[in-house]
Amino acid sequence: MNTTKYIFVTGGVSSSLGKGIIAASLAKLLQARGYRVTIQKLDPYINVDPGTLNPYEHGECYVTDDGAETDLDLGHYERFLNVATSQANNVTTGRIYQSVIEKERRGEFLGKTVQVIPHITNEIKERVQLLGDTGDYDIVITEIGGTVGDIESLPYIESVRQMKWELGDDNVLVIHLTLIPYLKAAGELKTKPTQHSVKTLMESGIKADILVCRTEHHLSLDLRKKLALFCNVQEEAVIESIDASTIYDVPNLMLKEGLDMITLKKLNLSDSTPPDLEQWNKFLKRHKNSKNEVHIALIGKYVELQDSYKSILESFIHAGAENEVKVKVTSIHSEYIDKNNVAEKLSGLHGVLVAPGFGERGIEGKIEAVRYARENNLPYLGICLGMQMAVIEYARNILGLEEANSSEMNPDTPHPVIDLMNEQKNITNKGGTMRLGSWKCELKKDSITEKVYNAKTIEERHRHRYEYNDQYREQLEEAGLIATGINPDTGLVEIVEIPSHPWFVGVQYHPEYKSTVANPHPLFVSFVKAAYKHSENK
Ligand code: GLN
C-alpha cells in the first residue's frame, strides 16, 4: 500500500514571496525529524523546460544529475536537503501538453475528445504521484508556480482539488503562502489581500489547511485570530514568515512557528522525534559569525539580476562558512571591462570568477579579466564559459595566436581553440540538445583539483555545447596550461590549470550545482581559501 503523503504549496497576493524557500524549509524540518522528503516544482509556463529561457526571465537554469534543465528552486531544494533531484522534480505546462499530445497521436485516448479535464489534470496528477510511487519518499512537497487566480495555474489547482478528494485530508495538505502588507500611512498590517486570495482558492474548491504569511512586522495574536476566522483555518495553522536576513534562517523560523508540527498533525504523522538541526545550526553560526572578509569578483553579463548566478552565490556562502570567512561578492558586468580599466575594476579584490554564459556579448571583457588574474597571481576560477575564456586568453597572449577564439563567438576564427564536436554540428534544435547532466572526469595526479577533491575520479554536471579543442592541447600544455581533468569516456578535456600560478583553475562543468549546506563544494572551498590567503599576503 502506498502511504506517501502529499503537500501542495500555493501562492497568493503576489509573486516572489519565496514559496521555494518555504517548501525547502518545511522539507528540511521534516527531514531533520527522520522523514524521507522530496520537493517538486510545477511551472505553469508553456516552455517545455527553462533551458531556452534567457536568465533575465526566470534567473538561472539549474541542471540535475540526469541532465534536466530545471527551475532554480530545485537548487534550493538540493542545497537545503542535500538530496539530488531529477527531471521528475520539475514539470512545466509545456511538458504536460507535449506528453498528452504525443499520447493522442499514438491513439492512446481511443477516439475520445482530449480535454483539460480529465486528460491534462490526469497527466499532472500522474507526474505528482510518480515521485510518491517510487517508494523512496514518505512525503512529497509540490510547489505550484505562479499565483492563485492566474489563468495558467488553473489546471494545477484543479488537480490539487482532485487529489485531495481522492486521497483524503489526511494524505493531502494545502499550504497557502500569502503576503500581509504593511500600510505605513495607517501604521497597520492588512489582511484583506489574503482574505481575497484564500477566497479565490476556495472558488476552485480548495480550502487552505495552513496559511503562511509573509510579513515585515510580527503578527499580533488578534491579527492571527482574525486571519484564522476570515480565512477558515485553525489559529495554530496561521504561520508567520517574517523577513529574514538570510534564507538559511527560515527553517529555524518555521520551527519556532510550529509549521512542521501542524503539518505532521494534519497528515496524521508522528511528531515524536524532535528535529536534529545540529549540522545546520553549526553552518549558520559560522556563516553569521565569521569576521574576516574576502572579496571576490563575479564577472558575467547577467549581473543586474542576482538570480542569474544563484547557485554560484550560494556556493560562496557555503564555502565562506567552511573557511569561516565572509565572502563578499562584487558583481562586474563583463561588457564594461577593457584593457585600460581592468586593473582599476579588479583592485582590492582577492579572487576572480568568470561565470558561465552564452554568446559573444561581453567576452572580450572576460578575457581581459582572465589575463589580469593570470598575470597578477590572483586566484582564478573559470566556470564553463569562464574555462573557455581562460583557454582563449592563453592561446592569444602566450601562444601568440591573436585571433584564437571559440567558434561560438567567431565561426571563422583561424584558431578555434574551443570548438563544436562532430555530434553537435548537425543539431538544429536549441532545447535540451547541449551536453547536459553528470559526466565522469579523471583527475591528473598532483594537480590542484586532485588535491582539492581528494579523489581520482569525480562526477560533475554539464551544460554546454562547445568543447576544448584537443588539437591545441600539446601547444597549450607546453606553454604551461595543463589539462588536468579528462572525461574517460570521450577523452574530452574538462579541467585546465596553470601549475606555476598560485590557484588558477578552469572547469568545463558547473561545480556550483552540487554545493549544499551539508556538503560545500570542495572547489569553492579551496578557491575561497586561496583568495583569503591572497588577501593576507597583500
Ligand atoms: N557557451 C558555452 C558553450 O555552450 C558555455 C556554456 C556555459 O557557460 N554554460 O559551450
Side-chain angles (χ1 to χ4, degrees):
M1 200 186 87
N2 183 9
T3 51
T4 308
K5 308 274 184 175
Y6 295 92
I7 301 175
F8 291 94
V9 181
T10 57
V13 179
S14 161
S15 58
S16 305
L17 292 181
K19 282 194 297 279
I21 302 297
I22 293 295
S25 298
L26 174 60
K28 182 77 224 168
L29 294 177
L30 298 172
Q31 184 195 50
R33 286 177 179 273
Y35 287 102
R36 299 169 307 155
V37 192
T38 191
I39 319 183
Q40 177 186 44
K41 173 92 189 269
L42 303 181
D43 276 312
Y45 51 71
I46 295 169
N47 304 62
V48 171
D49 61 42
T52 50
L53 287 171
N54 181 319
Y56 288 130
E57 296 278 320
H58 273 272
E60 163 191 280
C61 172
Y62 186 78
V63 179
T64 57
D65 280 329
D66 63 348
E69 297 177 276
T70 72
D71 185 81
L72 58 77
D73 271 339
L74 268 74
H76 290 309
Y77 309 161
E78 290 205 12
R79 286 187 283 273
F80 274 51
L81 300 182
N82 197 37
V83 173
T85 55
S86 70
Q87 179 65 72
N89 295 76
N90 191 196
V91 179
T92 68
T93 295
R95 196 171 287 277
I96 298 281
Y97 271 81
Q98 190 181 45
S99 165
V100 170
I101 290 168
E102 278 166 10
K103 284 180 188 166
E104 186 273 335
R105 292 289 82 181
R106 288 197 297 268
E108 285 183 28
F109 297 118
L110 307 174
K112 287 266 181 231
T113 309
V114 182
Q115 293 176 299
V116 172
I117 304 172
H119 301 98
I120 294 296
T121 48
N122 281 351
E123 184 78 25
I124 294 172
K125 287 189 293 177
E126 259 171 46
R127 299 281 178 144
V128 173
Q129 284 169 298
L130 202 69
L131 283 168
D133 293 344
T134 59
D136 295 339
Y137 308 107
D138 305 312
I139 302 165
V140 176
I141 303 181
T142 301
E143 175 194 347
I144 298 179
T147 308
V148 164
D150 295 347
I151 292 176
E152 289 93 336
S153 41
L154 277 175
Y156 294 102
I157 300 293
E158 167 60 13
S159 306
V160 175
R161 186 196 68 76
Q162 290 181 16
M163 271 185 71
K164 217 167 165 36
W165 184 78
E166 285 162 13
L167 303 178
D169 284 345
D170 280 3
N171 295 315
V172 178
L173 187 78
V174 176
I175 299 179
H176 191 54
L177 175 64
T178 82
L179 175 72
I180 312 287
Y182 179 75
L183 276 198
K184 219 160 129 198
E188 268 181 30
L189 286 168
K190 291 301 197 187
T191 64
K192 193 70 85 186
T194 296
Q195 295 179 38
H196 278 294
S197 98
V198 168
K199 206 164 136 194
T200 308
L201 205 52
M202 277 191 193
E203 277 166 12
S204 303
I206 297 177
K207 177 186 146 347
D209 297 297
I210 298 175
L211 216 52
V212 177
C213 308
R214 269 302 294 273
T215 172
E216 290 171 13
H217 298 270
H218 287 295
L219 306 181
S220 66
L221 197 61
D222 278 351
L223 202 105
R224 287 176 193 251
K225 283 191 168 143
K226 183 175 173 185
L227 278 165
L229 178 66
F230 284 44
C231 299
N232 202 21
V233 296
Q234 289 167 322
E235 251 174 73
E236 57 179 334
V238 176
I239 304 289
E240 168 190 289
S241 172
I242 195 128
D243 286 359
S245 60
T246 153
I247 54 169
Y248 297 106
D249 270 339
V250 181
N252 282 312
L253 290 173
M254 291 302 108
L255 179 68
K256 232 187 256 161
E257 283 287 308
L259 177 61
D260 56 334
M261 289 294 275
I262 183 85
T263 298
L264 292 172
K265 193 166 137 192
K266 287 197 178 286
L267 290 175
N268 239 337
L269 291 170
S270 160
D271 60 9
S272 58
T273 316
D276 173 4
L277 291 169
E278 199 186 316
Q279 194 191 27
W280 185 270
N281 288 333
K282 206 166 124 198
F283 152 79
L284 258 185
K285 211 165 140 192
R286 285 179 162 193
H287 169 50
K288 290 188 165 178
N289 299 339
S290 303
K291 293 214 166 47
N292 295 324
E293 287 185 1
V294 55
H295 294 259
I296 306 244
L298 168 64
I299 299 174
K301 68 171 174 178
Y302 308 111
V303 291
E304 298 90 340
L305 185 72
Q306 287 281 310
D307 274 359
S308 312
Y309 301 114
K310 194 84 206 154
S311 294
I312 291 177
L313 295 174
E314 299 302 322
S315 301
F316 275 129
I317 291 177
H318 310 153
E322 190 70 12
N323 280 292
E324 297 191 55
V325 295
K326 264 209 167 64
V327 181
K328 297 269 180 192
V329 177
T330 305
S331 300
I332 305 177
H333 202 300
S334 49
E335 263 188 313
Y336 305 140
I337 300 179
D338 59 38
K339 238 192 189 69
N340 302 321
N341 68 13
V342 63
E344 179 206 330
K345 291 247 182 219
L346 298 180
S347 78
L349 299 171
H350 312 126
V352 174
L353 186 146
V354 170
F358 294 84
E360 207 204 335
R361 192 163 66 91
I363 72 146
E364 294 304 326
K366 289 186 174 176
I367 293 172
E368 273 312 315
V370 178
R371 187 183 59 77
Y372 185 85
R374 180 179 58 73
E375 290 179 350
N376 293 282
N377 284 335
L378 207 52
Y380 177 80
L381 176 57
I383 299 183
C384 210
L385 186 69
M387 175 264 203
Q388 300 178 349
M389 293 299 114
V391 175
I392 295 170
E393 192 278 326
Y394 218 82
R396 285 190 189 176
N397 298 328
I398 303 287
L399 296 184
L401 308 174
E402 270 170 41
E403 288 177 76
N405 213 330
S406 161
S407 47
E408 177 183 8
M409 318 305 167
N410 176 8
D412 302 319
T413 171
H415 299 295
V417 290
I418 304 293
D419 201 5
L420 270 190
M421 293 297 100
N422 279 337
E423 60 268 29
Q424 281 284 345
K425 284 190 177 150
N426 298 322
I427 291 176
T428 47
N429 264 0
K430 286 270 183 272
T433 54
M434 282 188 257
R435 178 145 83 103
L436 290 165
S438 211
W439 289 79
K440 271 206 187 83
C441 170
E442 270 168 14
L443 304 176
K444 195 178 160 114
K445 208 167 164 356
D446 295 330
S447 59
I448 297 183
T449 32
E450 193 216 30
K451 285 183 208 138
V452 163
Y453 281 93
N454 195 17
K456 283 195 171 51
T457 310
I458 55 167
E459 278 185 37
E460 291 281 6
R461 301 180 192 172
H462 291 248
R463 182 175 186 248
H464 59 105
R465 218 177 283 285
Y466 294 80
E467 306 279 355
Y468 176 106
N469 185 345
D470 216 46
Q471 283 178 11
Y472 291 88
R473 182 151 151 204
E474 213 179 299
Q475 286 182 69
L476 285 163
E477 293 212 323
E478 260 170 32
L481 183 71
I482 310 296
T484 56
I486 308 289
N487 180 326
D489 304 318
T490 59
L492 289 168
V493 171
E494 304 277 17
I495 307 172
V496 293
E497 292 178 23
I498 304 179
S500 60
H501 185 286
W503 207 99
F504 189 105
V505 179
V507 291
Q508 185 58 80
Y509 52 81
H510 291 263
E512 72 274 23
Y513 294 144
K514 281 179 83 165
S515 188
T516 69
V517 166
N519 261 327
H521 197 286
L523 256 189
F524 276 89
V525 174
S526 173
F527 175 53
V528 167
K529 196 172 175 177
Y532 184 60
K533 204 166 145 202
H534 183 87
S535 77
E536 281 187 313
N537 292 344
K538 265 192 141 179

